[in-house]
Every structure is written in C-alpha cells, then in structure tokens.
Amino acid sequence: MRVNTKLLPNSNFGWFCFGICVTATTFKIGNKIPGIYATLFLFQLLFFCLIIILPPKLTKYFHHRIPWVILASFLFLLFAETNQTLSQKLPKHFFRDFLKQELSRSPLSPFESRIVMGLVTGSTKEIPKDFKELAKESGILHLFAASGLHLGIFIGSIQFFGNLIFSKHRWLSILLSLGFGFMYLYVLNFPVSFVRAYLFAFLTLVSSLFYRKIAVSDLLIISSAIIALFCYSDFLSIGFLLSFSAVFGIFYLKPSLDQMFFKSNKSFLKENLTLTTVCSLCTFPVLVYFFHSYSFGGIWINYCLVPLAGILLPSLYLTLLLQSFLPSSLSLLLSDWIWIPASYLLSLFLKLFQSLSNFERAYKEWKIETTPLFVFSLFLILILWALHRYNLNHNKITNRLILSVLFLFFPFCFWQEDTSSLPILTQSGKGYFTITLENKMYLYGICPPHKRIALPKSNHPIKQILFESESCLQTVLRLQKKEKIKDVIFFETQVSPFIRQFENQGFKIQSSLRLGNDLTKDVTLFRFDGNPKEVNSLLRALKGSETFNSLQKWKGILVLDFPPWKKKEAKEWITYQKLLGISNAWKIIIVEDQFEISLFHYLTNPNLL
C-alpha cells in the first residue's frame, strides 16, 4: 500500500494543530524580539483580512482551512505558557528506588545493574561515565535515553499478551496497553521523546478502534502541537528534533528507499538496513548543527544492536515484573533462575557492543563550519522525499544515481576535515576540570589531593599548562618535571604566598586576566567557585571580556562549580542573571558529577548557547 507522503495536514483538526505549530515555532525563534506578541496578533489580523479580500478562486483550496489556523494561533498566544524553562527530566524517585531494590535482589553485577537502570529508565545518568562516552561515540546513546523505541517495545509487549487474553475484545487490549504506557510515561517524568511516542501510539490505536486511519502528516503535526501547547520548553529542543527527525525518515524516506533498494526483497535484513539508513540520515543535520559531531560507525553498530535491544528490553520488563510479584523468601531462591534469559541477553548485548565499538566507531568532530554539510544533508532528504511523493523512483538510472550519492555521502563527510585542534574536555570532577586545545592544557579549579591528574592523550604533545589555583602547584611541578614542559602560566586572581616559588620555577604570572579569557577566538570560559570575596572581580572580568570581544559569533560561558551546600545559590545565579549585571551573551552552567550535554559541546558549538 502506498504511504500518504503529503507534508500538509489532511483533516481540519490537523490544520488547527498546524496553526499552533507555526505560531509556536515563530515565537520560539523570535522570543527575544521586543513586541513579538503584538507583532503576531497584528499579522493574524492582516492575514485574516487578506483572505477575506482576495477573490474566492485564489483561496478555494485554503478557505476552509485558514480559519482553523488563525483560531489555533490566537488561542496559543492567549493560553500557552511560554515562560517554561528547559530542564532535565529525571525518573521519579520512587520508580528509581523500586528498580534499585529489585536489581539488588538479582544476580547481576553492579555494572550490569547500572546498565539495566539506564535501559529501563531511559536516563544516561544511570550508566557509568566511561560507558556513556563510549556509547556516545558509538552512536547508541539513544538506547539509554527515553525514546520511542522503549515505549514502542513496552506497549507492543503488553498488547501482545493483551491480544492473547482478550482475543474477542480487542479494545480492552488497546486500553490496557495505553494505560500502562501512560504509567511508564509518568514514572519517567514525561521526557519529550517518550511523549511523542505515546501520542503516536494513542492517536494510532484510538483511531483504529473506530476503523479509521490517521495520515502520517496529521500524526506528526498533532503530536508536535500538543507538545508545543503543554510542554513548550521541550518544543524544538534537541531531543524533540532528534525524535521527530528519525520518525520523519521512517514515514517519508523509508518507502522511497525501499522502492530503490532491492524492491522485491522483503527480508528482515533489508528492512533493518533501510530503517537504520534513513534514521541516520535524518538525524545527521541535527547532530551536525548542534554538536559538530557524528558517529559514522554508529550506522552499522545500530544495525546490529537495535534488533537485539528489541529482544533485551521485553525480557528485562518481564523479569522485573515477575521478581516484583515474588515474596522476598522465594525471591532469594528463584531470582537466579528468573534472570537467566535476561542476563544472557544482556551479556550478549554488552559483548557485541564492546566488539563493535572497539573495531571501529568512526566518531568525527569538525573544527570547521558545518553549514555546507547541514544544507547538503537537508537537500538529500528533500530529494528522497520528492522521489516518492511524485512517484519518480521507478527509473533505474535515477535510482542508481541517488543511491550512489546517498552511500557516498557518509564517507565524504567523514573525510571532510581533521579534528586535531578542537577543545576537548579531558578530565572532570566536582571542583575541577581540564580542557585540551592543540598543545595546551587548561586546568580549572582546585586540584583534588587524592586524584592524580595526568596529561591527556592527544595528537599534539602538551607544551603549555595554564592553571588558576595554587592547590595545583604540586601537580603542575610533577607534570613539568615528568613531561619536561617549560611553558607554564599561573593566573593569579588573588595574591598568593607562593608567588616567589612560582617565579623560581620559571612560571609566568598572569594577574590581569582570568583563565579561559582567550580559550578560542569565539569562546571565553570562566569558572567560579562561589567565593563571595571574588564576586566583584568576576563581574568586572565578565564585562571586560564582553567589551573586548566584539565578534558577532563570540559567546561567553560561566561555569558555576559551587560546593554542594551552595547548589541552591548557584541556581539563583541563572534565575537572577540580569539582576547580577550579567548579559545574555554569557551562558551560565552549573557543574554536576556528569554533564548530560558535555561541556565540550558548549565549547565547540555556540549555537547551543
């Protein structure tokens, strides 16, 4: 059956939601423009008058739909809560505690338990930091983030058993799966990818109860409008764009690729290949634009691991459910047996992942402007959609040409540019972090007495160390002697009693600037530990750096690394940023034990700011 590939909505309600999406997008892009509300209201009025004045022949196609768009836009401006701030959605505490209790009764190792926590809760904070970095470079971090894959498998598993139990009452199976799906959505605290997946499932299953089929354009637009109306902070966020772009590829590009690539072959291997390819292609522009990075090896790693994850997740759900119903006395006796299938699949998943990631991750980070790659990938997506939309993918020459361009696109992007001079966050912890840029190592914060900081492995040997705390003197002296580094700069924010010792060791003293003032020509990065005596000095440095750097692309980053008892006060810096005299040119980041979006991404891509 041919899939409806129109981008515009089919139903009146779809057009109503389209009006919400257009208004929300316009407001999201222009929210810093003074008078944006009045401008949008005025535009609606002028547009409505124009529709009335124009001859009916010119507006024949839209005259039943435009009123819905205008009404939706007006209602959005009146009732939508556009002051929401984007925050990380962590699972509910009672759900995490429940999982920890159940996993403590399982035969899994502590490492395997954390992996299971990450898979079930869809939170990357649950997995070890090193494993998280490896998963990011391998392109499978989405398996440890609440996504449509998790909810699809969860609802599909429940509906499978529901259809067996309620074989003559299919509506009961649908209500059961949607009810448990909403509970899963609630305990994970409504992450945007999960919300999108649940809306898809809800709209599709409910329409099937009435023997109706919802168009994919309506499905996308209605889901986007609901998120824009009730979760405005998540609308057009990175998670939103990644989730919807992957689904767009499945709906609009996969049918086109299926027609061009072994049309008569309906095997699982071919279906999985086209699915992985279109999802990789459609998420490419988002990842390149926001992160300046992409895992090319993730294409074939996902090809191998996602089907296995589709088997692993149901086994984990079923095992945790069975164990939770067992009395504690029986759980100790039977847990080893209950966990055999899930434990085997988990070990197989981890071993396969380790082998694939060690073989070749092909993780790439660009130091050059990625706009050409971004534009070309969008153009390729548009071409693939147009071929199927207008039924042009039956010509063998055209098919071979497009397939050649598609499969050469990824190797071309991978060999586009060397990545040796990017700033890299190499070591981090509470109270300190280090950044490597070419042959320089920036040592921010206080060196921990029980942490032995070493030089990072990089393509360029480290020839210069820059640090800001006298607590790092012993560490710097050790590195200087061991690695024979002659160029060391100490950024003196306060008069140090060790200043003579610094000078005797040949250190350069910098007292007029703070560490990170010249990190790159486009980015300045300062760290502040909450010392009240240095507040005035910090504010002067912020204003001085902003005045000195007049480039349009320049952005400033202020990292607040307060002690744990000052965490609330650190958050107040973001709330009262303007009252403190800090302009919007500065992005304030609060350091946590693990960065959800690593500091490196803020350094390499000012678009995130």
Side-chain angles (χ1 to χ4, degrees):
M1 181 182 295
R2 181 176 171 81
V3 178
N4 189 338
T5 53
K6 291 197 301 184
L7 295 179
L8 293 176
N10 277 18
S11 62
N12 288 336
F13 185 66
W15 280 96
F16 179 85
C17 292
F18 181 71
I20 293 177
C21 292
V22 171
T23 309
T25 302
T26 305
F27 189 81
K28 195 84 170 184
I29 296 173
N31 61 346
K32 294 182 180 180
I33 301 175
I36 184 65
Y37 268 108
T39 303
L40 287 175
F41 273 117
L42 180 61
F43 179 79
Q44 290 174 23
L45 180 61
L46 293 175
F47 189 65
F48 182 71
C49 294
L50 184 64
I51 293 298
I52 295 176
I53 294 171
L54 288 174
K57 289 184 179 180
L58 296 178
T59 60
K60 181 179 179 181
Y61 180 75
F62 294 102
H63 78 282
H64 290 302
R65 299 176 172 89
I66 293 302
W68 291 105
V69 175
I70 296 175
L71 177 62
S73 179
F74 180 75
L75 292 177
F76 177 84
L77 292 176
L78 283 181
F79 299 110
E81 187 180 351
T82 56
N83 294 323
Q84 297 177 4
T85 56
L86 185 63
S87 59
Q88 186 181 357
K89 303 294 180 65
L90 296 176
K92 301 290 185 182
H93 288 293
F94 71 87
F95 184 60
R96 293 182 70 254
D97 294 340
F98 164 76
L99 288 178
K100 285 184 177 180
Q101 181 181 358
E102 295 301 323
L103 290 173
S104 65
R105 297 159 57 189
S106 71
L108 301 179
S109 66
F111 174 76
E112 290 175 330
S113 297
R114 293 186 66 179
I115 298 300
V116 172
M117 282 284 293
L119 285 169
V120 175
T121 62
S123 175
T124 56
K125 281 190 173 295
E126 304 294 345
I127 61 178
K129 188 176 180 180
D130 294 340
F131 186 88
K132 175 183 174 180
E133 190 68 20
L134 186 62
K136 182 194 77 173
E137 294 185 2
S138 302
I140 66 159
L141 199 59
H142 65 94
L143 296 179
F144 301 93
S147 63
L149 175 68
H150 294 71
L151 189 66
I153 292 172
F154 183 79
I155 289 182
S157 302
I158 294 176
Q159 196 164 8
F160 173 77
F161 290 107
N163 289 336
L164 295 178
I165 299 172
F166 307 106
S167 58
K168 296 183 179 180
H169 302 283
R170 182 170 168 269
W171 61 275
L172 287 174
S173 174
I174 292 176
L175 292 180
L176 186 70
S177 60
L178 290 178
F180 278 103
F182 185 80
M183 288 177 57
Y184 196 16
L185 180 66
Y186 170 76
V187 297
L188 295 190
N189 204 15
F190 299 94
V192 63
S193 297
F194 235 58
V195 173
R196 189 272 308 160
Y198 184 80
L199 290 172
F200 274 28
F202 180 85
L203 294 171
T204 304
L205 292 176
V206 170
S207 62
S208 69
L209 284 177
F210 298 97
Y211 302 99
R212 299 295 181 100
K213 186 175 181 180
I214 186 170
V216 294
S217 57
D218 284 352
L219 198 61
L220 287 167
I221 292 170
I222 293 172
S223 302
S224 301
I226 293 174
I227 293 173
L229 194 60
F230 297 103
C231 307
Y232 179 75
S233 60
D234 290 316
F235 183 68
L236 296 186
S237 64
I238 297 175
F240 176 94
L241 294 174
L242 285 172
S243 180
F244 275 85
S245 61
V247 174
F248 176 88
I250 296 172
F251 284 157
Y252 288 98
L253 302 191
K254 188 178 183 300
S256 180
L257 201 59
D258 286 336
Q259 288 288 330
M260 292 187 291
F261 189 71
F262 294 125
K263 180 179 179 180
S264 59
N265 191 341
K266 303 293 183 181
S267 67
F268 168 77
L269 296 177
K270 181 248 185 176
E271 291 294 318
N272 189 27
L273 176 62
T274 55
L275 178 68
T276 305
T277 303
V278 296
C279 289
S280 301
L281 176 63
C282 289
T283 55
F284 181 86
V286 180
L287 295 171
V288 166
Y289 180 79
F290 284 102
F291 300 118
H292 284 205
S293 63
Y294 191 78
S295 175
F296 293 91
I299 300 173
W300 70 286
I301 294 177
N302 274 284
Y303 178 79
C304 299
L305 289 183
V306 169
L308 182 57
I311 304 173
L312 172 61
L313 282 170
S315 68
L316 291 176
Y317 295 143
L318 182 60
T319 304
L320 289 169
L321 180 65
L322 290 175
Q323 183 174 272
S324 64
F325 282 112
L326 287 178
S328 57
S329 57
L330 288 177
S331 178
L332 295 175
L333 298 173
L334 300 178
S335 62
D336 289 349
W337 294 94
I338 293 174
W339 277 93
I340 286 177
S343 178
Y344 173 76
L345 290 172
L346 179 62
S347 62
L348 180 63
F349 177 86
L350 292 175
K351 288 180 180 179
L352 183 59
F353 167 65
Q354 183 181 13
S355 300
L356 295 175
S357 60
N358 289 339
F359 179 72
E360 184 56 65
R361 296 190 292 274
Y363 181 69
K364 179 66 181 288
E365 294 165 337
W366 288 272
K367 67 180 180 182
I368 61 170
E369 182 63 42
T370 56
T371 303
L373 298 178
F374 172 78
V375 173
F376 185 73
S377 61
L378 290 181
F379 177 74
L380 188 55
I381 291 170
L382 181 62
I383 290 295
L384 281 173
W385 167 77
L387 286 175
H388 193 57
R389 173 69 181 88
Y390 299 104
N391 202 24
L392 301 175
N393 51 2
H394 295 292
N395 187 294
K396 291 184 178 181
I397 298 177
T398 304
N399 289 352
R400 290 174 181 175
L401 178 62
I402 296 298
L403 286 175
S404 300
V405 173
L406 176 62
F407 288 110
L408 289 175
F409 169 74
F410 292 107
F412 170 78
C413 294
F414 178 73
W415 284 301
Q416 179 66 22
E417 179 67 21
D418 185 37
T419 63
S420 57
S421 63
L422 280 172
I424 301 174
L425 181 70
T426 52
Q427 302 169 84
S428 64
K430 193 62 180 174
Y432 80 98
F433 56 88
T434 63
I435 291 175
T436 302
L437 177 60
E438 292 184 342
N439 59 358
K440 300 177 182 179
M441 185 179 82
Y442 294 78
L443 180 50
Y444 285 88
I446 300 173
C447 293
H450 305 296
K451 176 73 174 180
R452 192 174 180 85
I453 298 177
L455 290 183
K457 296 179 181 180
S458 61
N459 295 332
H460 298 282
I462 301 298
K463 295 182 179 180
Q464 186 181 62
I465 299 177
L466 305 93
F467 68 106
E468 62 178 353
S469 173
E470 61 188 31
S471 65
C472 296
L473 176 59
Q474 184 177 1
T475 298
V476 173
L477 289 174
R478 173 176 55 81
L479 294 175
Q480 184 187 34
K481 181 179 180 180
K482 181 180 178 181
E483 308 293 341
K484 298 180 181 180
I485 298 174
K486 297 180 180 179
D487 193 2
V488 179
I489 302 178
F490 171 59
F491 285 77
E492 180 190 27
T493 55
Q494 295 181 347
V495 178
S496 173
F498 301 100
I499 194 68
R500 183 170 297 178
Q501 187 172 357
F502 288 144
E503 293 175 345
N504 292 338
Q505 294 294 330
F507 292 2
K508 298 177 184 178
I509 310 299
Q510 176 61 266
S511 56
S512 59
L513 298 174
R514 295 180 71 93
L515 178 64
N517 189 76
D518 58 347
L519 188 66
T520 71
K521 66 177 183 178
D522 295 330
V523 177
T524 297
L525 186 144
F526 294 151
R527 176 190 171 276
F528 182 56
D529 60 3
N531 187 349
K533 296 180 180 180
E534 293 188 16
V535 172
N536 292 330
S537 173
L538 173 68
L539 294 178
R540 286 196 300 270
L542 294 175
K543 291 181 180 178
S545 181
E546 185 178 350
T547 303
F548 178 76
N549 294 281
S550 58
L551 295 175
Q552 185 177 1
K553 292 184 178 181
W554 177 84
K555 295 291 181 181
I557 303 173
L558 175 59
V559 179
L560 300 182
D561 198 357
F562 288 12
W565 55 87
K566 287 190 175 183
K567 185 171 289 187
K568 182 178 179 181
E569 183 179 340
K571 293 181 180 178
E572 291 174 352
W573 277 63
I574 298 178
T575 305
Y576 304 110
Q577 179 174 347
K578 291 185 178 180
L579 294 178
L580 291 168
I582 304 174
S583 71
N584 290 331
W586 289 91
K587 172 70 177 181
I588 301 180
I589 302 173
I590 298 177
V591 170
E592 299 293 345
D593 292 336
Q594 295 179 1
F595 294 103
E596 187 64 21
I597 298 176
S598 71
L599 182 60
F600 167 69
H601 296 141
Y602 289 105
L603 295 177
T604 55
N605 185 19
N607 291 321
L608 279 179
L609 305 178

